[in-house]
Amino acid sequence: MYFSRLATYFERIEGKSSRLEITQILAELFNELNAEEIGQTVYLLQGRVAPLFEKTEFGMAEKTVIKSIVSSLNIDRPYFEKENRRLGDVGKTVEEFKKQYVSFEEKEMTINEVFLELERLAKSSGDGSNDIKVGILSGLIRQLDSKSCRFLVRIPQGMMRLGFSDMTIIDAYSWALCGSKQFRPEIEAAYHVRPDLGYIGRLIKEKGMEGIKKVTPHIFTPIIMMRAERLSSGEEIVKQLGECAVEPKYDGFRLQIHYSKKLNEVRLYSRNLEDVTLMYPDVVEGVKNEIHADEIIIEGEAIGYNPQIDQFLPFQETVQRKRKYDIEEKAREIPLKLFVFELLYNSGASFINEPFTKRREKLESVIDVQNNPKQNTIIIAPHTLLSDAARIEKTFDEAIADGLEGIIAKKLDGTYRPGARGWNWIKFKRSYSSKIHDTVDCLVMGYDTGKGKRTDFGIGAFLVGVYDEKEEVYKTVSKIGTGLTDEEWREMKKRCNKLQTKTKPAQYAIDKTMEVDMWVAPGIVVEIKADEITQSPNHTALFALRFPRLVRFRDDKSITDVTSFSEISALYTKQEA
Ligand code: AMP
């Protein structure tokens, strides 16, 4: 398919806000594409040339994109910038200019040709790479037609934002196959094991649903991590699980480790599937030295450790290891210890459908169980088999006394369920001095520009919401205008700036009374502590958080990890009278 035809699809999608219509247009598009094209197109639809978990980034700011445009079309920069300010979008501006300045180099290019050029652009790095990037983009602008250019220049700026999620693409795959959502559950399950939409698309083209049913974990493709349900007493846990494995709940950050001995390569993925390998060289070394396997995928919680006093550090200190600069220096100051608790794959064999006991047995065979924090980096999470509510409570109290977050109880015959929050894992966390026993993870949906003192920050309150999995929309639970330090307000504004849009994202359900000055596209997850959950007609979730406070930004959580509508309803019912 020619890129110009793809651009007509982009244009059709851009004009729509109904999810169903977008899905149907995508399905129509997918049916026109071959296996190679569908893989590439799906990445381009997300403004990328690789799956989300791969580090390949364009690294082009608007400034550099404008430089490519003006050099390509040989136009005056101030004039272009003036027009750009008037139209408010580089894509539309370049389209207008292209219409007026006929280029003799213009020709049809296939999706594959454009994709390969964009891939070359994204992969060029080091000295002089900026000129190479500008050269590649200028060349494409000269060759493509005006409409194609509108979308082309948005790609390296990360401005594709056609307003749909991975789930819409999954739905569209189903629609392309059978004209309805019928295959979605199976495609989604495959995606949870291998969340590479390009791969899934190619597989569907080549092997259809038979291929989808057989998807297994793949080294260096992160598996969407399983999550825990919550309960707040030993008694409830025993009722739910009977005899179970109880492990300490470490308050650090979760890592999924992929290791190939043959390639001598380790990759670490965060909870939201970001490749964070470069941030944690000490963990990489630990894995190479202390894990005895040829090819393996395991999971654990990394936590900072102070060797002088032989103590683990609180989350606030551990999190300082999440950084892009001075990595080695911080690693010496705050070494990490990795408590491993899961094994998902080992040398060609998937373990996700095996019971917990079998996964644990295998895990114990690849790590020296005698490892200890003084000498080692990789330590197996200790666990005890318990079936007595009082003993569970006692273990919980001991964990709290040790400065841990609580415990995690695991179902002995439970499988690992990628991407699911389920009863195979149950977290039991320290209760707060409020009526609710847990914090709520919310999505930042928009904000009001500040009044009074806050005009300095440019933000006076922000709107947050939870995710309704059934309706697939975010619903509001609070507008938060207090409880942040000056520094946090500045940080919030900085983050909002990157994602703000004038139009309300299609997946937000909002009551009129909660409109905001500026919308924020899904991307910022915050942990909120509240005293109580009350019913509220003004919030679309029908619940409101009373006395909400920002606990922290949850960069480790992805936008689909936010508290769900059913969880908030459960928290509401369970709060203490
Ligand atoms: P959640 O992700 O909110 O469902 O809570 C579970 C989180 O607890 C996981 O994502 C891990 O980051 C963390 N965690 C800490 N210790 C453990 C453990 N022993 N087993 C599983 N998860 C753990």
Side-chain angles (χ1 to χ4, degrees):
M1 182 189 277
Y2 286 131
F3 190 83
S4 57
R5 178 146 181 81
L6 181 60
T8 62
Y9 273 103
F10 286 159
E11 186 174 45
R12 281 172 66 194
I13 294 168
E14 190 180 37
K16 297 276 182 293
S17 62
S18 141
R19 187 164 181 263
L20 184 63
E21 274 180 278
I22 293 175
T23 311
Q24 286 167 341
I25 298 172
L26 283 175
E28 198 185 314
L29 165 65
F30 293 164
N31 275 331
E32 265 193 62
L33 299 169
N34 63 32
E36 180 181 46
E37 289 168 343
I38 201 170
Q40 296 172 337
T41 300
V42 160
Y43 299 144
L44 293 177
L45 280 167
Q46 299 191 318
R48 299 184 55 88
V49 284
L52 285 169
F53 56 81
E54 268 186 26
K55 267 207 148 340
T56 329
E57 302 284 347
F58 288 105
M60 266 183 122
E62 186 178 271
K63 220 169 67 212
T64 328
V65 171
I66 293 181
K67 188 172 167 196
S68 316
I69 298 171
V70 295
S71 91
S72 156
L73 302 179
N74 205 6
I75 44 180
D76 181 40
R77 183 165 185 145
Y79 179 35
F80 182 88
E81 282 174 342
K82 189 167 151 243
E83 284 302 287
N84 186 30
R85 275 194 297 277
R86 187 174 66 82
L87 294 168
D89 168 31
V90 186
K92 289 212 174 101
T93 317
V94 72
E95 184 176 18
E96 287 307 310
F97 276 92
K98 272 290 284 192
K99 278 187 196 153
Q100 297 160 27
Y101 293 75
V102 181
S103 146
F104 296 107
E105 282 178 55
E106 220 167 278
K107 62 167 195 197
E108 285 288 11
M109 289 181 84
T110 60
I111 294 176
N112 184 45
E113 285 168 334
V114 176
F115 182 87
L116 293 179
E117 279 299 277
L118 286 172
E119 192 175 48
R120 195 159 70 82
L121 189 160
K123 287 192 172 155
S124 66
S125 62
D127 283 351
S129 62
N130 219 27
D131 290 343
I132 298 176
K133 286 176 196 272
V134 169
I136 297 173
L137 193 60
S138 303
L140 285 170
I141 294 168
R142 271 197 300 274
Q143 293 171 82
L144 293 171
D145 65 296
S146 55
K147 190 182 292 169
S148 297
C149 284
R150 182 198 323 167
F151 297 100
L152 173 80
V153 300
R154 287 180 187 165
I155 295 172
Q157 283 183 85
M159 300 288 277
M160 272 304 268
R161 286 201 218 132
L162 289 170
F164 53 80
S165 62
D166 284 9
M167 289 310 132
T168 311
I169 294 184
I170 291 175
D171 272 352
Y173 283 152
S174 173
W175 275 83
L177 281 166
C178 66
S180 79
K181 274 191 5 179
Q182 192 195 331
F183 290 147
R184 165 163 173 176
E186 280 153 305
I187 303 175
E188 193 178 343
Y191 164 85
H192 284 159
V193 178
R194 216 166 151 178
D196 174 346
L197 285 173
Y199 167 78
I200 300 279
R202 286 193 298 274
L203 188 66
I204 289 179
K205 281 279 167 190
E206 280 161 3
K207 305 223 169 86
M209 286 307 288
E210 279 316 299
I212 287 296
K213 285 180 198 149
K214 294 195 189 116
V215 168
T216 52
H218 189 255
I219 189 92
F220 303 134
T221 297
I223 299 166
I224 301 195
M225 299 184 203
M226 172 168 165
R227 287 164 296 164
E229 271 294 349
R230 49 187 127 203
L231 287 176
S232 40
S233 72
E235 203 174 321
E236 286 172 304
I237 292 176
V238 170
K239 215 161 110 202
Q240 183 71 34
L241 299 181
E243 189 184 31
C244 54
V246 175
E247 298 179 357
K249 185 171 191 314
Y250 300 99
D251 193 12
F253 44 82
R254 186 156 169 190
L255 289 177
Q256 192 177 87
I257 296 103
H258 292 231
Y259 171 44
S260 160
K261 191 171 184 175
K262 195 166 78 210
L263 301 175
N264 191 29
E265 181 159 0
V266 175
R267 279 194 219 159
L268 309 175
Y269 298 97
S270 70
R271 232 180 105 109
N272 51 15
L273 309 192
E274 193 191 339
D275 183 339
V276 290
T277 316
L278 294 177
M279 283 186 200
Y280 310 118
D282 44 348
V283 177
V284 170
E285 263 321 287
V287 169
K288 287 184 181 170
N289 296 330
E290 298 168 32
I291 293 187
H292 316 294
D294 289 334
E295 198 178 73
I296 199 162
I297 305 178
I298 54 176
E299 267 182 19
E301 187 89 354
I303 179 164
Y305 176 71
N306 182 340
Q308 269 91 40
I309 50 170
D310 186 22
Q311 249 179 32
F312 292 102
L313 300 170
F315 182 80
Q316 281 71 8
E317 287 186 53
T318 299
V319 82
Q320 292 182 38
R321 284 294 310 274
K322 196 172 169 358
R323 53 172 54 231
K324 294 208 169 98
Y325 307 100
D326 304 327
I327 289 172
E328 297 283 348
E329 194 188 326
K330 259 289 173 249
R332 277 191 295 276
E333 194 186 317
I334 307 178
L336 290 177
K337 301 293 163 185
L338 183 77
F339 283 93
V340 285
F341 49 72
E342 270 297 347
L343 179 143
L344 309 178
Y345 166 92
N346 183 53
S347 300
S350 167
F351 276 73
I352 54 179
N353 291 323
E354 299 289 351
F356 172 75
T357 41
K358 199 145 173 221
R359 298 198 303 277
R360 173 81 193 191
E361 198 184 308
K362 188 75 202 167
L363 182 64
E364 288 180 8
S365 78
V366 299
I367 294 160
D368 186 353
V369 282
Q370 308 304 332
N371 277 4
N372 70 64
K374 277 214 163 107
Q375 279 136 23
N376 304 95
T377 302
I378 315 292
I379 304 138
I380 196 152
H383 83 168
T384 335
L385 296 189
L386 297 176
S387 53
D388 172 62
R391 295 264 330 263
I392 293 180
E393 293 275 348
K394 190 160 171 276
T395 314
F396 171 79
D397 291 341
E398 283 163 5
I400 298 296
D402 283 346
L404 296 164
E405 240 195 330
I407 53 172
I408 302 247
K410 299 183 174 174
K411 188 170 176 199
L412 296 180
D413 59 359
T415 56
Y416 183 94
R417 303 196 33 227
R421 186 181 292 286
W423 292 104
N424 287 354
W425 283 9
I426 297 173
K427 58 182 168 184
F428 175 8
K429 281 173 49 172
R430 159 184 64 220
S431 67
Y432 300 104
S433 56
S434 65
K435 287 186 178 180
I436 10 180
H437 288 277
D438 207 344
T439 51
V440 183
D441 295 321
C442 295
L443 185 81
V444 176
M445 301 164 71
Y447 69 90
D448 286 333
T449 47
K451 292 193 191 73
K453 180 182 166 217
R454 297 279 173 65
T455 38
D456 290 351
F457 304 140
I459 176 168
F462 57 100
L463 187 65
V464 298
V466 294
Y467 188 58
D468 185 327
E469 345 56 325
K470 280 214 193 85
E471 292 178 28
E472 296 181 354
V473 291
Y474 291 94
K475 294 184 165 174
T476 70
V477 285
S478 193
K479 199 181 246 186
I480 304 176
T482 55
L484 273 75
T485 62
D486 288 2
E487 203 180 307
E488 284 168 336
W489 279 117
R490 276 190 210 102
E491 176 66 25
M492 181 64 84
K493 180 67 172 54
K494 205 167 95 195
R495 287 167 183 250
C496 289
N497 282 349
K498 291 197 188 131
L499 294 168
Q500 66 191 31
T501 76
K502 288 217 172 80
T503 43
K504 182 177 77 64
Q507 63 272 53
Y508 290 179
I510 309 280
D511 183 273
K512 276 199 308 300
T513 56
M514 288 294 154
E515 293 275 341
V516 283
D517 295 333
M518 197 58 90
W519 297 104
V520 174
I524 309 171
V525 181
V526 285
E527 183 175 345
I528 302 292
K529 185 166 161 180
D531 279 3
E532 198 181 344
I533 298 172
T534 51
Q535 290 191 340
S536 162
N538 296 334
H539 283 289
T540 39
L542 301 177
F543 295 111
L545 303 179
R546 211 167 108 87
F547 299 130
R549 276 97 73 202
L550 174 75
V551 180
R552 59 199 187 201
F553 288 97
R554 293 300 304 249
D555 296 326
D556 56 326
K557 296 209 171 185
S558 68
I559 56 169
T560 47
D561 275 344
V562 301
T563 301
S564 67
F565 178 64
S566 45
E567 282 180 279
I568 197 114
S569 318
L571 282 173
Y572 171 77
T573 340
K574 271 174 51 188
Q575 60 191 342
E576 285 162 11

